[in-house]
């Protein structure tokens, strides 16, 4: 097998090049090739060395697929030490993203030169790990403890310009002359002579207050995660320590995390997210439909949010409403949202104008004839949707993709109201649609393959994580939400409080519990609006104007800063319904809440999987992580079920009298997992 590493010479400079697509991950073959390159560099005729990568990026890190398998020599830390130990200048020439182990290789080199578009990062934390090849020790010594903490504990990459300011990059190269500039730099450093700047020989220092402040400032972001806490503690403990001792502690910390469930969960999600983009039975190279302009029907919260995704990606949008005031209100909200983003420094004023400039608001439905993809975001009613699709069928250009943003309704029935069901697909965005990452692409019985593949490609373009779902009530996400909601209400009747149920969910790692979520979304959503018709607790709350946060009261009472407190009135209402329901009261334990609200979701997930409504268990995990805030460190409901043990899930369901999904039972009995 040919090595992904080649060497070449420019005079007395040795250029070591890695070509290991797609991201130059530092797998065994790359490490072995680099080791051979370093041995070659020891030759007397070599005065300096450049390490660079072909393709789209510098090393993007260790090869994650090797984790959990027996390690092949040389290990990355040993290799990087050997690079640093060379007695001639070694220059890392960086383009693309120097991430994780890649950033650590660059730190092992004596000098770093980068193109302006390059980025540097230590994203290991996002895989539940800490940098394990010297990163926690060399980065603070090169770029300072504060930046090292930021980069290692949060995992976000920084641009080359910032890296240069911090001393992580010594020089910027021309965007098209990286290797030539690196060779010149290497030669210059060789000629200059003098001691080589080795990161491990430098010192780092920081005031103890820095760590405490950092912990406090980021407490919310890090809640529940092991790796950030370990990273902060490690850098705190090793700052000022000799390098050799620090790096040993780093090694121990890395080994501890890599054996843990959180890292397994986070690595699972890394690959699950990428696998979700693959559609069973459709070739990767299928010809896609050209989407140059998107049409959106409805300028309400959903239609506006959906439009913003495309505008931000530079795709023109025609947005249609029925009345001028609704159209004006909708476009006004979009502008306000963009301006708020700009105020936070995440967009420039020109970008705001650029995006809004791509928007064509109109009252004329026929203007949609110019669009290649039309998404309807109108009222959630089958009759209304059918009427809209019937009209669309008459005016849309041949081959245009017709999409419904329905959250529950039957996409096949909607498609049947057109003469072109093959062009119809569900595109279920989650609210707020300009923010939430998830997109469910609903595959109708007749949806054409190229329509599906085009939708998937577009999702990537607008930076969504998309999952293919089949036609069933609520698709994947909302269908699994239903048993949770039903059980939460039953638990209330049997003795639990909204506070207890929410507390259990938050302790589990959810951003909020079911009642907090209802207060945020609006208790009145889907309410029949007849205050005299009180059939359940929700009706009672809505009738008393307890619509949630927007009214200052819902399941909870809110102060002017929207801090919730348990509501005595809600307790009374619950008591009234308990009395009427005849449900047997008992002491509800936290464990029972988990079993009845979360195990039931897993059960529903197993049904979805068996019915083929999700392509794979990991897709269900992706839906819950990106659409509903399931804690990433638990890997999604199906991965979590695997880690809990499927036998335990089955026993928990049976204890409460639930019918166990056959697939779940089968897997529990055979000892299989949902995610292999
Ligand atoms: C580490 O370095 C530990 C060390 O500190 C210590 C070690 C001792 N390995 O994302 P894309 C695959 S931990 C293996 O779609 P993009 C990916 O699965 C690592 N495979 O491209 C996909 O495969 P497929 C720290 C990897 O352009 C394909 O490459 N580093 C790896 O949108 C394309 O990926 C990280 O965590 C990998 N490291 O984004 C960086 N990376 O085509 C992780 C990617 O079969 N990577 N693949 O689905 C990324 O963040 C993005 O891939 C990157 C490119 C930004 C580089």
């Amino acid at each position: 097998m040919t090595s992904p590493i080649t060497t070449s010479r420019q005079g007395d400079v040795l250029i070591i090049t890695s070509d290991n697509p797609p991201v130059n991950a530092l797998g065994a073959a790359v490490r072995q090739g680099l080791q051979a390159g370093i041995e070659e560099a020891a030759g007397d005729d070599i005065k300096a060395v450049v390490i660079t990568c072909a393709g789209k990026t510098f090393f993007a890190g260790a090869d994650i697929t090797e984790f959990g398998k027996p390690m092949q020599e040389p290990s990355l830390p040993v290799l990087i030490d050997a690079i640093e130990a060379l007695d001639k200048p070694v220059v890392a020439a960086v383009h693309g993203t120097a991430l994780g182990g890649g950033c650590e290789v660059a730190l092992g080199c004596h000098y770093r030169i980068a193109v302006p578009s390059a980025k540097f990062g230590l994203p290991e934390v996002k895989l539940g790990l800490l940098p394990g090849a010297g990163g926690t020790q060399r980065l603070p010594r090169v770029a300072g403890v504060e930046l090292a903490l930021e980069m290692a504990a949060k995992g976000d990459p920084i641009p080359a310009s910032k890296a240069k300011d911090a001393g992580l990059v010594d020089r910027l190269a021309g965007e098209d002359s990286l290797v030539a500039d690196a060779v010149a730099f290497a030669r210059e450093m060789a000629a200059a002579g003098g001691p080589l700047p080795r990161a491990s020989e430098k010192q780092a220092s920081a005031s103890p207050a820095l760590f405490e402040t950092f912990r406090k400032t980021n407490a919310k972001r890090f809640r529940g995660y092991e790796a950030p806490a370990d990273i902060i503690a490690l850098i705190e403990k090793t700052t000022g320590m000799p390098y050799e001792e620090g790096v040993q502690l780093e090694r121990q910390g890395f080994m501890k995390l890599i054996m843990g469930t959180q890292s397994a969960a986070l690595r699972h999600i890394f690959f699950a997210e990428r696998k979700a983009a693959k559609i069973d039975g459709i070739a990767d190279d299928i010809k896609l439909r050209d989407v140059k302009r998107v049409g959106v029907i409805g300028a309400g919260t959903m239609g506006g949010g959906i439009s913003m995704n495309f505008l931000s990606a530079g795709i023109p949008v025609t947005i249609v409403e029925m009345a001028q005031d609704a159209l004006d209100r909708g476009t006004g909200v979009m502008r306000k949202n963009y301006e708020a983003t700009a105020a936070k420094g995440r967009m420039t004023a020109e970008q705001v104008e650029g995006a809004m400039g791509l928007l064509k608001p109109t009252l004329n439905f026929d203007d949609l004839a110019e669009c290649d993809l039309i998404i309807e975001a109108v009222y959630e009613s089958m009759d209304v949707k059918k009427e809209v699709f019937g009209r669309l069928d008459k005016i849309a250009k041949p081959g245009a993709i017709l999409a419904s943003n329905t959250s529950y309704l039957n996409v096949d029935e909607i498609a049947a109201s057109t003469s072109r069901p093959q062009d119809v697909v569900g595109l279920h965005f989650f609210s707020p649609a300009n923010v939430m990452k998830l997109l469910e692409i609903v595959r109708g019985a007749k949806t054409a393959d190229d329509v599906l593949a085009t939708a998937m490609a577009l999702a990537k373009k607008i930076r969504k994580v998309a999952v293919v779902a089949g036609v069933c009530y609520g698709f994947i996400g909302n269908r699994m939400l239903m048993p949770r909601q039903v059980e939460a209400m039953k638990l209330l009747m049997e003795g639990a409080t909204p506070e207890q149920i929410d507390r259990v969910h938050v302790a589990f790692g959810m951003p909020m519990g079911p009642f907090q979520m209802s207060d945020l979304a609006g208790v009145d959503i889907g309410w029949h609006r007849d205050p005299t018709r009180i059939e359940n607790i929700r009706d009672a709350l809505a009738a008393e104007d307890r619509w949630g946060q927007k009214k200052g009261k819902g399941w909870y009472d809110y102060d002017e800063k929207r801090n919730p407190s348990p509501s005595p009135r809600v307790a009374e209402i619950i008591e009234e319904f308990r009395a009427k329901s005849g449900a047997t009261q008992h002491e509800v334990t936290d464990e029972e809440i988990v079993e009845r609200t979360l195990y039931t979701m897993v059960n529903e997930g197993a049904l979805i999987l068996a019915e083929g409504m999700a392509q794979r268990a990991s897709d269900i995990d992706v839906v819950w992580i990106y659409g509903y805030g399931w804690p990433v460190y638990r890997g999604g409901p199906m991965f979590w079920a695997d880690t809990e043990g499927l036998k335990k899930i089955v026993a928990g369901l049976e204890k409460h009298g639930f019918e166990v999904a056959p697939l779940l039972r089968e897997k529990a009995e055979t000892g299989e997992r949902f995610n292999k």
Side-chain angles (χ1 to χ4, degrees):
M1 216 175 78
T2 52
S3 170
I5 302 290
T6 49
T7 56
S8 61
R9 301 200 185 191
Q10 276 194 27
D12 48 13
V13 177
L14 180 75
I15 305 170
I16 304 177
T17 307
S18 169
D19 188 3
N20 185 32
V23 297
N24 277 306
L26 286 148
V30 173
R31 296 195 305 274
Q32 285 154 9
L34 282 173
Q35 189 179 40
I38 292 159
E39 281 160 17
E40 186 180 340
D44 288 343
D45 52 335
I46 305 288
K47 295 283 179 282
V49 183
V50 167
I51 299 181
T52 191
C53 290
K56 67 175 184 180
T57 179
F58 195 73
F59 308 109
D63 186 337
I64 309 166
T65 59
E66 287 184 352
F67 291 171
K69 298 180 188 155
M71 237 294 295
Q72 288 190 57
E73 300 292 336
S75 74
L76 195 55
V78 166
L79 179 71
I80 295 174
D81 285 348
I83 294 173
E84 195 187 51
L86 274 175
D87 59 359
K88 46 196 83 177
V90 185
V91 175
V94 178
H95 75 295
T97 41
L99 298 180
C103 187
E104 292 171 304
V105 167
L107 282 161
C109 296
H110 308 123
Y111 302 99
R112 289 155 292 276
I113 184 169
V115 295
S117 59
K119 289 191 172 128
F120 291 77
L122 291 177
E124 287 88 342
V125 69
K126 296 189 177 176
L127 300 171
L129 298 171
L130 53 80
T136 66
Q137 302 304 302
R138 286 195 178 94
L139 187 59
R141 286 170 162 82
V142 167
V145 175
E146 192 169 354
L147 183 65
L149 260 186
E150 276 285 328
M151 288 175 68
K154 291 187 179 166
D156 299 329
I158 59 166
S161 55
K162 187 166 176 185
K164 171 120 191 334
D165 292 345
L168 170 56
V169 164
D170 300 287
R171 230 177 241 196
L172 291 177
E175 205 65 63
D176 299 317
S177 55
L178 176 63
V179 175
D181 292 353
V183 168
F185 186 24
R187 210 167 262 147
E188 207 183 297
M189 292 302 108
L196 291 166
R198 294 191 171 92
S200 67
E201 291 172 0
K202 299 185 180 186
Q203 299 296 328
S205 64
S207 88
L210 174 72
F211 300 97
E212 244 355 89
T213 311
F214 186 74
R215 273 192 192 95
K216 273 204 194 114
T217 318
N218 297 292
K220 199 165 160 210
R221 175 177 178 143
F222 296 155
R223 182 175 76 91
Y225 289 86
E226 287 166 8
D230 283 14
I231 289 167
I232 302 167
L234 176 71
I235 299 183
E236 184 173 31
K237 186 164 181 190
T238 56
T239 297
M241 223 181 226
Y243 177 82
E244 289 68 27
E245 285 175 36
V247 96
Q248 282 211 11
L249 290 178
E250 179 192 88
R251 194 79 216 137
Q252 286 166 16
F254 181 81
M255 294 315 291
K256 178 200 136 196
L257 288 174
I258 206 165
M259 310 293 283
T261 312
Q262 286 205 355
S263 176
L266 286 150
R267 280 181 278 137
H268 160 71
I269 286 300
F270 178 85
F271 289 113
E273 182 184 327
R274 283 154 181 84
K275 214 185 291 165
K278 304 200 173 19
I279 310 170
D280 287 346
I282 298 186
D284 286 345
D285 58 355
I286 186 170
K287 192 173 176 309
L288 303 180
R289 296 195 188 182
D290 210 11
V291 177
K292 291 209 178 72
R293 174 174 282 276
V294 173
V296 174
I297 308 173
T301 314
M302 214 54 206
I306 292 172
S307 303
M308 288 176 73
N309 289 299
F310 294 98
L311 298 174
S312 303
I315 302 171
V317 173
T318 301
I319 191 164
V320 189
E321 252 301 347
M322 296 207 294
Q324 190 65 45
D325 59 339
L327 191 61
D328 292 345
R329 209 178 316 120
T331 51
V333 169
M334 288 160 73
R335 173 171 284 282
K336 240 174 80 190
N337 284 340
Y338 274 131
E339 283 170 356
T341 308
K344 288 184 200 139
R346 291 201 229 115
M347 251 181 133
T348 62
E350 294 77 61
Q351 284 169 327
V352 172
E353 292 315 316
M356 287 306 289
L358 292 173
L359 182 68
K360 177 175 160 185
T362 177
L363 296 175
N364 185 359
F365 197 84
D366 292 349
D367 283 350
L368 293 170
E370 62 188 358
C371 301
D372 309 294
L373 159 68
I374 303 165
I375 306 169
E376 114 348 81
V378 300
Y379 186 63
E380 185 80 343
S381 135
M382 185 53 93
D383 289 344
V384 177
K385 305 253 182 208
K386 277 184 174 168
E387 206 255 330
V388 166
F389 273 77
R391 281 178 77 191
L392 271 183
D393 192 26
K394 294 201 179 69
I395 59 125
K397 63 164 92 152
I401 299 174
L402 311 182
S404 171
N405 176 52
T406 178
S407 347
Y408 289 94
L409 300 176
N410 186 324
V411 172
D412 290 332
E413 206 179 325
I414 296 174
S417 61
T418 73
S419 62
R420 37 176 138 177
Q422 74 282 359
D423 296 339
V424 177
V425 69
L427 290 182
H428 179 211
F429 289 83
F430 286 69
S431 190
N434 52 319
V435 177
M436 295 296 288
K437 294 273 292 176
L438 181 66
L439 176 66
E440 282 181 329
I441 300 180
V442 187
R443 181 182 209 164
K446 294 190 177 156
T447 307
D449 285 358
D450 64 343
V451 167
L452 216 53
T454 303
M456 189 55 90
L458 265 176
K460 186 156 186 179
K461 212 167 186 176
I462 61 172
R463 305 174 72 171
K464 296 283 178 214
V465 179
V467 167
V468 175
V471 176
C472 58
Y473 191 71
F475 313 124
I476 299 174
N478 283 343
R479 177 168 163 183
M480 284 170 72
L481 194 59
M482 282 183 276
R484 185 183 97 162
Q485 301 304 88
V486 168
E487 284 310 306
M489 294 308 286
K490 281 192 186 159
L491 282 160
L492 279 191
M493 291 301 95
E494 294 170 32
T497 61
E499 301 82 73
Q500 184 192 7
I501 297 171
D502 284 344
R503 178 179 49 72
V504 169
H505 279 246
V506 172
F508 182 81
M510 302 287 191
M512 58 190 107
F515 300 100
Q516 292 162 324
M517 188 167 137
S518 169
D519 269 359
L520 183 70
V523 177
D524 60 313
I525 286 191
W527 179 46
H528 47 58
R529 315 250 146 203
D530 176 359
T532 60
R533 208 174 109 200
I534 295 178
E535 287 157 9
N536 51 41
I537 302 186
R538 202 274 303 267
D539 290 349
L541 296 185
E544 289 188 17
D545 230 21
R546 303 194 71 96
W547 292 8
Q549 288 197 17
K550 59 189 170 191
K551 294 268 186 180
K553 56 183 185 174
W555 289 98
Y556 295 86
D557 289 334
Y558 294 88
D559 65 16
E560 55 294 341
K561 285 189 180 148
R562 294 205 169 182
N563 293 315
S565 57
S567 163
R569 177 62 194 135
V570 171
E572 270 171 29
I573 295 175
I574 293 173
E575 230 17 276
E576 284 163 27
F577 275 86
R578 277 181 188 155
K580 274 192 271 182
S581 78
T584 326
Q585 303 284 302
H586 66 280
E587 175 121 7
V588 176
T589 62
D590 291 358
E591 187 190 3
E592 182 176 351
I593 293 173
V594 169
E595 289 166 349
R596 289 178 53 182
T597 59
L598 300 181
Y599 285 16
T600 44
M601 285 178 54
V602 173
N603 204 32
E604 194 67 38
L607 290 174
I608 288 173
L609 206 53
E611 290 167 22
M613 294 299 149
Q615 298 190 94
R616 42 189 95 85
S618 62
D619 282 8
I620 298 178
D621 291 334
V622 169
V623 164
W624 270 82
I625 299 261
Y626 289 107
Y628 301 83
W630 184 280
V632 194
Y633 58 78
R634 292 194 195 268
M638 307 316 274
F639 184 88
W640 171 68
D642 285 336
T643 57
E644 280 283 286
L646 299 186
K647 279 202 167 84
K648 185 175 164 194
I649 304 277
V650 169
L653 288 167
E654 282 176 338
K655 185 160 88 186
H656 301 292
F658 292 106
E659 193 179 330
V660 177
L663 183 67
L664 171 58
R665 185 182 296 286
E666 184 191 309
K667 286 194 183 292
E669 280 167 6
T670 56
E672 258 187 86
R673 295 163 63 97
F674 283 114
N675 287 289
K676 296 193 183 69

